[in-house]
Amino acid sequence: METGSLDGTGAPADQPVWRRLEPGLLRVRRLLLAVWAGVLAVAAGLLPGLFAGPAWTACALLPPACAALCWRLLERNWRSWRYAERADDLLISRGVLWREETVVPYGRMQLVEVTSGPLERRFGLATVQLHTAAAATDATIPGLDPAEAERLRDRLTELGEARSAGL
């Protein structure tokens, strides 16, 4: 095998190096699923039970059953998210059934934001939001480590300024 065809990561030079999201994002989404399933189970069992009769309290089983199915789907969705930095653009790939790959050229970036809500901060996560001149190419990368999000923001801002200087 030629070592000249490899970059420093061991991947072929023409192949992007994909990065995954933090596992904390999956924990946050599963926590929200459990909370909402609990709230809906109480509402679905209590309200029909009070107004339509005790047999209708069986409706409380529907939200947890749906949550059990969604539990696995959340993991599949989380595993589908990845991003890669290339020489001229950023790739973001996601989706299980319908794959979606977004290519954001560095020279088209106008604003790179790092946001972190209270729940994200509690789980040590941040989201990078990319804004471009065309709204169709705006992109988001959720579930990043805050240090990685800041590094990515600084790198993308630097590359965006360097690439847009010739425009």
Side-chain angles (χ1 to χ4, degrees):
M1 180 166 78
E2 283 185 342
T3 57
S5 66
L6 300 176
D7 61 7
T9 63
D14 60 340
Q15 295 295 318
V17 178
W18 292 100
R19 295 176 185 238
R20 300 245 176 231
L21 303 182
E22 291 291 318
L25 180 64
L26 180 59
R27 287 193 297 272
V28 167
R29 288 181 175 174
R30 283 182 168 171
L31 174 67
L32 290 173
L33 175 67
V35 167
W36 280 110
V39 168
L40 291 174
V42 169
L46 185 64
L47 295 176
L50 289 175
F51 295 113
W56 285 93
T57 57
C59 292
L61 299 176
L62 189 58
C66 290
L69 173 65
C70 292
W71 191 268
R72 178 73 177 133
L73 296 177
L74 281 174
E75 183 176 352
R76 290 184 66 196
N77 179 268
W78 170 75
R79 287 188 188 282
S80 74
W81 277 84
R82 57 189 187 155
Y83 68 98
E85 300 170 61
R86 295 193 307 184
D88 296 320
D89 50 34
L90 178 72
L91 298 175
I92 303 170
S93 178
R94 65 191 169 280
V96 177
L97 292 177
W98 286 272
R99 300 284 306 161
E100 184 176 333
E101 192 165 292
T102 305
V103 179
V104 184
Y106 296 135
R108 300 288 181 187
M109 289 184 203
Q110 292 184 331
L111 175 67
V112 181
E113 290 181 296
V114 174
T115 60
S116 187
L119 196 56
E120 284 180 310
R121 281 194 307 274
R122 172 70 177 95
F123 284 85
L125 299 172
T127 298
V128 173
Q129 176 76 40
L130 309 164
H131 300 279
T132 63
T137 57
D138 284 1
T140 302
I141 306 173
L144 296 176
D145 179 67
E148 170 64 11
E150 289 178 16
R151 183 205 65 82
L152 189 60
R153 178 200 58 209
D154 294 343
R155 176 163 163 70
L156 295 176
T157 302
E158 178 184 311
L159 289 169
E161 289 172 355
R163 300 293 196 281
S164 67
L167 296 179

